[in-house]
C-alpha cells in the first residue's frame, strides 16, 4: 500500500518563474492538503482539495493555486516565484470524515528559488 | 486566534533517559491536540493525540499530558533511543476547517 507520494523531490527555480508540484494521495484517501514548511519552522497550511474543489485556504496569495483530479491526485502551482517561496512543500492526504488525526504526509518537495 | 508554540527549540538527552517536550497553546476553547515527529528528509508522522476530556494518554513509550488550566501539553518519551532523534511538533485543528496549526517544533538530539 503506497503512502503519499510527491514529485519531484527537489527543484531549483529562478525568481519570476512558475512551478508545478505533484502529489498522489494514500490509497483510499480522497482529500489532499498542501503545506509550506520554511527552514526551522512548522508547516503552514496553504489549501485543501476535496471533490476536485478548493475547500479551505490559508493565508497565501493568489500566486498559489491548485487542482485536484478525478483520481484524487493533486497539483500545487506557484506563479511569479519569490526568493521567499523557497521551502519544503508537503502534501497530506486523508479520508473525508475521518478526522484530522488521520493525515498522512508525503516526504515533500524541496523548492529552492534563486 | 489559534496559536501553539513550543518552549525549547532544541533538547539534548542521553540515550536511555526520558525526554519531555513541551507545548503551550493560547485558545482555551482548543479541544484536540496532535503530536507529530518529523525525521530528516521526511514529512511529519503522527505519534499520538489527545482530546480535552482527557488529562493523559499513553502510547508505546510515549505519553501526552494535557493541563487545561495553564494551557500546556507535553510529550514524554520513555527510554529515549537514537531513532527518536527528530523534530517534534504539537498541532491543533483550526475549527472544523481541516486545517492544522503547527508549532515551531523542538529538535530532539539523542546522545549515545
Amino acid at each position: 500500500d503506497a503512502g503519499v507520494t510527491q514529485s519531484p523531490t527537489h527543484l531549483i527555480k529562478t525568481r519570476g518563474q512558475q512551478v508545478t508540484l505533484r502529489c498522489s494521495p494514500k490509497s483510499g484517501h480522497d482529500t489532499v492538503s498542501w503545506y509550506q514548511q520554511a527552514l526551522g519552522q512548522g508547516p503552514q497550511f496553504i489549501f485543501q482539495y476535496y471533490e476536485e474543489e478548493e475547500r479551505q485556504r490559508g493565508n497565501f496569495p493568489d500566486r498559489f493555486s491548485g487542482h485536484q483530479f478525478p483520481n484524487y491526485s493533486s497539483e500545487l502551482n506557484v506563479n511569479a516565484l519569490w526568493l521567499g517561496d523557497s521551502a519544503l512543500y508537503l502534501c497530506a492526504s486523508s479520508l473525508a470524515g475521518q478526522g484530522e488525526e488521520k493525515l498522512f504526509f508525503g516526504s515533500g518537495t524541496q523548492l529552492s528559488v534563486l | 486566534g489559534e496559536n501553539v508554540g513550543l518552549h525549547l527549540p532544541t533538547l539534548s538527552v542521553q540515550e536511555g533517559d526520558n525526554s519531555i517536550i513541551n507545548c503551550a497553546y493560547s485558545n482555551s476553547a482548543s479541544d484536540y491536540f496532535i503530536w507529530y515527529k518529523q525525521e530528516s528528509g521526511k514529512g511529519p508522522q503522527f505519534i499520538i493525540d489527545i482530546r480535552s476530556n482527557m488529562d493523559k494518554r499513553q502510547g508505546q513509550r510515549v505519553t501526552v499530558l494535557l493541563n487545561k488550566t495553564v494551557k500546556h501539553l507535553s510529550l514524554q518519551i520513555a527510554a529515549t533511543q537514537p531513532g527518536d532523534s527528530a523534530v517534534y511538533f504539537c498541532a491543533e485543528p483550526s475549527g472544523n476547517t481541516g486545517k492544522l496549526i503547527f508549532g515551531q517544533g523542538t529538535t530532539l538530539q539523542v546522545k549515545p
Side-chain angles (χ1 to χ4, degrees), chain B residues 29-81:
Chain B
S30 298
D31 61 0
Y32 179 59
F33 301 92
I34 310 166
W35 281 98
Y36 283 91
K37 172 186 180 183
Q38 187 174 23
E39 297 176 271
S40 180
K42 297 184 180 180
Q45 179 183 15
F46 171 88
I47 303 173
I48 193 168
D49 59 357
I50 189 167
R51 297 196 179 274
S52 60
N53 60 350
M54 304 173 70
D55 296 324
K56 178 179 179 180
R57 191 170 188 207
Q58 288 185 295
Q60 188 175 19
R61 280 200 308 118
V62 295
T63 301
V64 56
L65 299 177
L66 177 61
N67 185 330
K68 295 179 284 294
T69 302
V70 296
K71 292 184 281 190
H72 177 273
L73 67 159
S74 65
L75 177 70
Q76 301 180 1
I77 305 173
T80 311
Q81 302 169 359

Side-chain angles (χ1 to χ4, degrees), chain A residues 14-42:
Chain A
T14 57
R15 283 178 296 175
Q17 285 189 312
Q18 179 265 343
V19 68
T20 297
L21 311 181
R22 295 175 176 83
C23 172
S24 292
K26 180 178 169 63
S27 178
H29 285 184
D30 58 6
T31 302
V32 173
S33 301
W34 287 92
Y35 287 78
Q36 180 195 67
Q37 187 176 22
L39 190 64
Q41 303 292 317

Side-chain angles (χ1 to χ4, degrees), chain A residues 30-31 50 55 94-102:
Chain A
D30 58 6
T31 302
Y50 172 68
R55 188 163 70 169
S94 58
L95 182 60
Q98 292 296 300
E100 292 81 6
E101 70 273 21
K102 300 303 183 184

Side-chain angles (χ1 to χ4, degrees), chain A residues 47-90:
Chain A
F47 41 51
Q48 182 183 81
Y49 276 84
Y50 172 68
E51 293 188 336
E52 302 179 48
E53 291 189 355
E54 183 181 292
R55 188 163 70 169
Q56 295 293 336
R57 189 178 184 92
N59 188 26
F60 280 81
D62 291 344
R63 299 188 297 111
F64 289 76
S65 63
H67 189 78
Q68 185 179 34
F69 299 93
N71 67 353
Y72 308 119
S73 66
S74 177
E75 288 181 349
L76 164 66
N77 300 291
V78 187
N79 294 323
L81 284 165
W82 296 0
L83 296 179
D85 294 330
S86 295
L88 179 68
Y89 288 85
L90 293 163

